[in-house]
Amino acid sequence: MAENGFETRSGRNDGRMVADTLLVHGLVVTMDPSFRVIEDGGVAVKDGKIVFVGKTSDLMNTCTGSHVIDCHRKLVMPGLVNAHTHAPMNIFRGYADDLPLNEWLYNYIFPLEAAFVNRDTVRTGTRLAIAEMLRSGTTTFNDMYFYTDVMAEEADRTGIRGIFTEALVDQPVHNGNTPGEVMGLTVEMIQQWNDHPRIRIAFATHAPYSANPDIYRTAKDLADKYNVPLHTHLSETRWEFDLIQEQYGHTPVGHLENIGVLDQNLIIAHAIHLTENDRHLLARRNVGVAHNPQCNMKLANGTAPIPELLKLGVRVGIGTDGVASNNDLDLFDEMRSSALAHKLVTGDPTVMDARTVLESVTSGGARMLGMDHMIGSLETGKQADIIILDLKSPHAWPHFNIYSLIAYSLRGSDVETVMIDGKLLMENRELLHLDEVALYSEVQDIHQKISHWQRQKQTS
Ligand SMILES: [Zn+2]
């Protein structure tokens, strides 16, 4: 600490603000509206919030504190925002790959979920996902699954930030026999977690092919009543696009417009198959789009027209989707995939440039989730969701352009330290509030049970 010059000065009663944590001498990428990048920069944190961002020398004149993190040769940036996940599916990583979506979903994933989704597996899967997200710099995620109460408990315990939704479909689900029952449960959860600083409960309708218009309308009314988002999958496959047109006489986007749920409170995951009218409708209604490039490529569903949507002013975040169709939660990897996929598909190397994809997992992702007043950039007054990356690796040198370094060269495994709401959750690559040894043993137990079930199925 002494080498930072703080110890000798902190004893003075000189009117400087006493902060809880001071990050000093880092390369600070703020992602604020003016895209400030600060060499030899610092961030001061107090009561969970950012109270200063600027040059280390200015920080030292403004703030003092005994907990100092030296970020020399390190990158300091906002924590990443994963726009669309199914975190408990982490226990199904690699179960079935290289299949068309419907075969993958109906022949593999749905039977597996019917047999193995319960409170215990959701707890373990969520914890595994949280460990993976923290290790790769994700500090906020927007989820849709079952047993949201268990997921919220794990998020509370581990310190991560998230939006949790219980998937509504026409059929009975793990957590309720009817959509009404699941909606009632969601309302109870919203009331229970209402005052939590990091956890938000919202609504989710799975997709227009699995949830009828009444479910969408009722969920939308409740989402508006409680001022929370409504999260759905939309226009993911050509099959869905054709089916919805046949069933309702509209495209999937047109269908949601027709039933009155298309507005700024709606978050749609995928948005691949869109007509020109659909794109303009999404912009006009200010709908949030969660773009999932790797999942879309893996299931060969197509590439969402994200460059066009961004041009129209649509709010876009990047998500990984569940690991069963990805197969990881590393948003650095996802940024790169997004930048490359759109260049390949459009034949235009200027689309989805490095800064644009970084925006989609930081400030833009936060805006898409309606959380940009709290997170997404390093600015005074925002929550201190901060990640520190080690730049002492061959792949991090040299760096002519910091956005290029982040989007094209760095990896989730370069993340060394993670702070959420000013609290350290990972320090020097050690998770401070999660027992990874115990976690891997639980995962191993579930893996053995699934393998046994799979063998029995094959022989029967
Ligand atoms: Zn999904």
Side-chain angles (χ1 to χ4, degrees), residues 134-164:
L134 291 176
R135 283 203 167 280
S136 52
T138 295
T139 51
T140 296
F141 65 113
N142 179 38
D143 206 274
M144 180 200 295
Y145 209 63
F146 307 105
Y147 300 110
T148 311
D149 52 333
V150 174
M151 299 181 68
E153 276 169 25
E154 286 307 315
D156 177 46
R157 191 168 298 150
T158 52
I160 202 162
R161 191 185 302 283
I163 302 179
F164 302 96

Side-chain angles (χ1 to χ4, degrees), residues 84-86 233 269-270 321-322:
H84 177 68
T85 54
H86 309 286
H233 295 104
H270 303 297
D321 216 331

